Amino acid sequence: MRITTQMLNESARKAGLPINRSSLLDYVNRSGSDNGLLSALKQKQSSAADSTKKTNYEKLEKKADQLEKKAAVFTAEGEKSIFEKARERGSKQDIYDSVEELIESYNNTFEILDSMDGTLDTFYSKNLTGFFADNKEALQSIGITMSKNGTLNLDKEKLQAADLETLEKVLGNAGGIMKKLSYLAGRISDNAQTNVESLSRQYGSNGSSYSSSFNKYDFWG
């Protein structure tokens, strides 16, 4: 139902309230320090958008942190080396599991990052796809390929067919692939954290005023 100025005035008269001589259009067109309805609406929309963006950056920071840790699993040396443990146990299962976790973490990070529109977000998204392109042959040799949308796929049979020496050559410190990925994931996480902090300050200083401005024109209470 369309609410007119006359309807509002009639409701005010019946309630014994002073009749407002200003029209709804006056409120919409009002500018300056008093903040019009249109300004309040825009501010509320901006606040909601910033809140959503902040949530996405929080998710990105968490996923990038996970990716950094998953990549670091392959860079440990000495007794902590996943490859040395595989030799001792006579089983490569931990390596297979860690590769699957790495790819899942990579894809989670990439999908969130690729959905963001910041300049650095785009830069890091391209760096992730570039990381695969730079190491395409090595990664494909153990069953890791890239889809057209930028996410990674794993051929488990090909991974399990690779001998331990090949896995270590591709994923271990000799190739440097996982060190590069761990470093990149760390930079993505740092950028996400910076954006979270920036949006938190912005939302904290403006969020309450957005709400109060809009409520001034909320006829439904």
Side-chain angles (χ1 to χ4, degrees):
M1 179 178 67
R2 182 185 177 194
I3 300 175
T4 65
T5 302
Q6 289 78 9
M7 292 169 65
L8 290 173
N9 287 342
E10 180 61 20
S11 296
R13 186 186 65 76
K14 289 180 179 180
L17 299 174
I19 295 176
N20 192 342
R21 299 300 178 183
S22 299
S23 69
L24 288 174
L25 185 60
D26 291 331
Y27 283 111
V28 173
N29 291 331
R30 185 180 299 169
S31 61
S33 61
D34 194 32
N35 287 328
L37 174 59
L38 185 58
S39 176
L41 284 168
K42 288 182 177 180
Q43 287 180 325
K44 189 176 181 70
Q45 290 170 348
S46 177
S47 177
D50 286 345
S51 179
T52 298
K53 185 177 291 186
K54 177 175 174 287
T55 298
N56 288 336
Y57 274 122
E58 289 172 338
K59 292 179 181 177
L60 178 59
E61 181 183 3
K62 181 179 179 180
K63 297 302 180 182
D65 280 342
Q66 291 175 350
L67 177 58
E68 184 178 14
K69 292 176 182 177
K70 298 301 181 184
V73 167
F74 298 98
T75 64
E77 298 179 328
E79 295 180 355
K80 295 183 179 180
S81 168
I82 192 171
F83 306 104
E84 286 302 318
K85 291 179 181 179
R87 289 189 180 93
E88 292 173 4
R89 297 170 183 171
S91 171
K92 295 179 285 186
Q93 189 59 50
D94 285 349
I95 297 176
Y96 302 151
D97 293 341
S98 294
V99 170
E100 287 189 52
E101 292 172 3
L102 174 78
I103 290 178
E104 181 181 6
S105 186
Y106 178 101
N107 289 342
N108 288 337
T109 301
F110 178 79
E111 287 171 353
I112 298 175
L113 186 61
D114 197 47
S115 70
M116 309 297 281
D117 58 4
T119 301
L120 280 179
D121 300 320
T122 301
F123 172 76
Y124 285 128
S125 177
K126 290 181 178 179
N127 268 260
L128 276 181
T129 54
F131 157 80
F132 176 83
D134 292 341
N135 303 283
K136 183 177 180 179
E137 291 185 7
L139 292 171
Q140 285 183 337
S141 71
I142 60 171
I144 301 175
T145 58
M146 177 173 283
S147 301
K148 291 182 179 179
N149 64 5
T151 58
L152 299 183
N153 298 313
L154 176 63
D155 183 334
K156 294 183 181 180
E157 291 185 1
K158 195 168 185 177
L159 175 67
Q160 293 172 8
D163 57 46
L164 184 56
E165 287 67 29
T166 298
L167 292 172
E168 186 172 16
K169 181 180 179 181
V170 174
L171 301 172
N173 288 324
I177 293 178
M178 290 299 107
K179 281 188 175 180
K180 294 175 183 177
L181 182 57
S182 182
Y183 176 83
L184 179 56
R187 302 291 71 73
I188 293 171
S189 176
D190 288 345
N191 178 55
Q193 182 183 35
T194 298
N195 278 283
V196 169
E197 293 173 352
S198 176
L199 288 166
S200 294
R201 288 193 296 270
Q202 181 177 333
Y203 188 76
S205 62
N206 298 328
S208 59
S209 63
Y210 289 166
S211 176
S212 61
S213 296
F214 185 78
N215 287 338
K216 180 178 180 180
Y217 303 103
D218 186 357
F219 299 120
W220 308 115

